[in-house]
Amino acid sequence: MLARHAEPVPHRPAGAANRRTRIVVTDQRGSTCGRNSSGRNLATVRRWYRAAILDDIDPFIGTAATDLPRARGLAATWWWPKPQVGNTHPGATSPLGMVSACAYSGAYPTGYGRYSKNTEGVPEEMFDRLQASGFTHFQQSGTGAIRKYYNYVRITPMVQPLDVLGQAWPLHDETAEAGYYAATVDTGVRCEVTVGEKVAVHRYTFPEHHSARVVVDLSCGGLDIELGRTVPLRAQVESMGRGRAQGTVVMEGVPLSVYLEVDSPPGWQQMLWYDRRLINGGTRLDFDSIRHTTLRPFGMLFMGPVRSGQTIEVRLGFSLRGCEQARQNLERECWPAQPGFDGVRAATRARWADHIHRVQVEGGTPARRTVMATALYHSLIKPCFADDESPFWPTSGPYAFDICTMWDIYKTQLPLLAAIVPNRATDLLESLIRVCEEEGNFPIGYRMARGADRFFRQASALAHTALADAHALGRAGLDAGLDWSWALVHMVDDLRRLYGEDFFEHGLVHPISHTLDLAYAHHCTALIARALNDQRLADDLERRSRQWSNAFDPVTGLLRDSEFYEGGKWNYSFRLLHDMAARIAMAGGDAAFVGKLDQFFGFGAAPVTQPGRRPSPAEMLAGYALNRFEGLNNEPDMEAPWAYHYAGRPDRTARVVQSALTWQFGVGPGGLPGNDDSGALSSWYVWASLGLFPVAGQSLFLVNVPAFARAVLRVGDGEFVIETSGHRDMPIGADGPDGDPPPQYVQSATLNGRPLDTTHLSAADVHRGGRLHLRLGPRPSAWGCESRPPSLSDPRIVPSDPHLIPG
């Protein structure tokens, strides 16, 4: 017999979703059911679990300025150089779907909220309240200055004249869950939005009024910040009668088409409008060569009388290949059931349940479960997949965009996708190969836009890491497969472009971090070339991959002086390279390398003061001079805690990671320490909580103390279980005698019942499924101190300037 009991969830501030209880299924003995259950009981448990974990998600986390308990212990020594805000939005999303929808204020960077553009410190406010001028589609998630901000096709419910379109009204009673967002605007209209994969559905509940309006603005795009507006190049909108309309706007070189239906009651009219003036009798508007100085708003209006509590539903299908395909997309997801809101919402909720259920955890405090579930949710919003929708090539197949901040997501999010949604991970790589075929380069950042603005300044040749991991899994029989000969052609060609040309000729390029990128990409490409029996190519690539050492100063053991993107040489000096044994030897051996890491992570250092609002240049320079870990406020050094593994000190990794999990994440809108960067930060939290960390490009996972007593990672058709004995829950924001919670360390480990003396696993071990058991204790042990993760070579003498390893 099953029994249910309610467990309280952490306090959520006003505006968070109303989730009163979390359901936990237990048997009569009080233990959690499902592990050994079968038949109907197991199915019941799974349904309860899926509902419970979805209720743990709080989409408001990360939408406001960072508001965490003041850090103590080790985390108090870390310095935050970047904006202290998550830059997420609470709008309706579908897992890895094409479309999102949210309230629109024009604020930075998602269009939701009240902040102006910010690059450091506490974000400044544009508005003193949450407000909206309507509800838009397509938002970024967690990024900073990404330059393409979307927010297309604004829908505004109004009880005022069209003249006031664009006015923003205060928002009240916000609610959000996976796939759904709702709020009441000051005019008394209750507004709800949900999305499918390529559709959005709005439902507006009006107060009584003789002339209510639903206004569709096809000219809307971008943000209300300087240089933030997106102006359509061309546009056309057509009124088709009986509540139907369609249109296409060319935004950032991409033709975005929409087909919409409005359940307009008897007595309602529909009309085109331009420059806030109705066009009686018109059925089509066409615009060309629009500039920001000539742009006037335009769109479609539906209006008529409503009684109190009457709902108007608006259904929109989107496509990048014309209005007819947009109509087909709407038909596929919304018909034949009308109205369609509840059906689309339920289908999207089911998709979210399936995706979120692929990582299951047991134990942990309610707050930590909320942070974990929300981190997994944020990890699965981007990239956007729009199958058969590429506007740049005519063939069918996967098309992905919003592969933003590739310099962050390749370390954490892409390995997460490969683990829990492997088919989508393969689709992403196929899409990237096609982009490279069309444009000549693997992009470093790829958005729903045409042009060469692909963020090549930030990094080089990052797609090679994900391709190498996918190929390694394919050789283990765990990948659906790509045309690897074709992929290798593009990987090799991409290595010679942009910064790669200087690297090829000189073995060194500035910014110096590109030297590391390119050397690593040569290593990743060499692995595939060797597997395809092109030994000559593989040998040449592997030789060039050893040129990573040219980036380092053998006197300091750190990177050479250079310019760095969002950090300094200390932040980039502890990357997990393919030859960490030689890297540590260059630093003077294990003890010297650990000493530099200890200095970087602030062991024994005094607490620091974080930048405030509008920090002065002197304040920022003083912070950078600390040469300190950025504490997950930014991600250039987010893999650095695991560098200790390569020097035989997994206990230090445990200290750093546990401090980060305790102090740098929390519940509520201010629960993130910095920009989520398309899920890169949230994916870090997921992996760290599981006690695993992927070494992208090396088909490798590093093992650490997990945050939960037991976790299950659904990989393919199997499960990888991480279980512990001696585990103690780590509360969020709760300290011990030395400022941090009492640490936990791995004492011993087994994999599938056999002793595991190493601190690493192959990716194939994880993706095949199995059982990792970690015995934990309160003091460091000898576990993992002697065996090291693999490196390309044994320690060797690395030449110093001026005798660089030649190209």
Side-chain angles (χ1 to χ4, degrees), residues 556-603:
T556 66
L558 300 171
L559 287 171
R560 299 177 186 275
D561 291 337
S562 183
E563 60 177 302
F564 294 90
Y565 180 71
E566 297 185 347
K569 66 181 179 182
W570 282 78
N571 303 107
Y572 284 85
S573 285
F574 302 106
R575 296 252 298 251
L576 303 184
L577 305 176
H578 47 295
D579 198 351
M580 287 298 291
R583 164 73 185 96
I584 291 172
M586 175 184 288
D590 288 347
F593 186 71
V594 169
K596 290 185 184 299
L597 280 171
D598 284 353
Q599 181 181 348
F600 177 63
F601 284 109
F603 281 94

Side-chain angles (χ1 to χ4, degrees), residues 392-662:
F392 306 128
W393 57 82
T395 55
S396 60
Y399 174 68
F401 61 90
D402 281 358
I403 310 164
C404 298
T405 65
M406 184 75 163
W407 51 96
D408 298 324
I409 65 173
Y410 85 96
K411 300 176 186 178
T412 54
Q413 192 214 24
L414 298 191
L416 183 63
L417 298 184
I420 64 176
V421 282
N423 291 341
R424 271 311 191 200
T426 301
D427 289 344
L428 174 61
L429 296 178
E430 185 176 335
S431 181
L432 286 173
I433 291 170
R434 189 59 190 266
V435 170
C436 188
E437 179 182 347
E438 295 291 325
E439 297 189 357
N441 292 92
F442 283 112
I444 301 301
Y446 190 80
R447 297 140 306 168
M448 189 170 61
R450 184 188 294 273
D453 183 15
R454 303 299 192 214
F455 293 92
F456 296 113
R457 182 175 65 90
Q458 276 83 339
S460 292
L462 300 181
H464 299 60
T465 61
L467 286 162
D469 282 339
H471 186 266
L473 290 172
R475 285 172 61 81
L478 296 169
D479 180 60
L482 294 165
D483 184 341
W484 287 108
S485 292
W486 188 231
L488 181 61
V489 167
H490 292 296
M491 293 174 75
V492 172
D493 287 348
D494 189 66
L495 293 173
R496 305 289 176 87
R497 297 186 175 113
L498 299 171
Y499 292 100
E501 184 176 356
D502 279 349
F503 181 82
F504 182 81
E505 293 181 357
H506 308 296
L508 181 70
V509 62
H510 289 271
I512 205 79
S513 60
H514 288 258
T515 300
L516 300 183
D517 294 336
L518 288 161
Y520 200 72
H522 276 75
H523 169 70
C524 292
T525 309
L527 296 174
I528 297 176
R530 199 170 302 284
L532 296 180
N533 293 317
D534 192 335
Q535 301 300 331
R536 179 182 173 188
L537 175 61
D539 289 346
D540 179 65
L541 291 167
E542 184 175 305
R543 178 176 63 85
R544 295 180 188 278
S545 81
R546 297 176 186 272
Q547 295 175 141
W548 63 266
S549 59
N550 294 340
F552 285 88
D553 180 350
V555 176
T556 66
L558 300 171
L559 287 171
R560 299 177 186 275
D561 291 337
S562 183
E563 60 177 302
F564 294 90
Y565 180 71
E566 297 185 347
K569 66 181 179 182
W570 282 78
N571 303 107
Y572 284 85
S573 285
F574 302 106
R575 296 252 298 251
L576 303 184
L577 305 176
H578 47 295
D579 198 351
M580 287 298 291
R583 164 73 185 96
I584 291 172
M586 175 184 288
D590 288 347
F593 186 71
V594 169
K596 290 185 184 299
L597 280 171
D598 284 353
Q599 181 181 348
F600 177 63
F601 284 109
F603 281 94
V608 303
T609 300
Q610 302 300 350
R613 187 171 278 110
R614 291 189 181 182
S616 68
E619 181 181 357
M620 296 304 295
L621 285 173
Y624 278 113
L626 293 169
N627 298 320
R628 197 64 52 77
F629 180 50
E630 294 187 0
L632 287 310
N633 168 256
N634 200 21
E635 295 97 348
D637 51 12
M638 65 174 163
E639 74 270 45
W642 283 268
Y644 282 112
H645 273 51
Y646 292 86
R649 293 298 304 271
D651 59 303
R652 283 301 213 215
T653 300
R655 282 283 306 278
V656 173
V657 172
Q658 289 174 56
S659 188
L661 293 176
T662 298

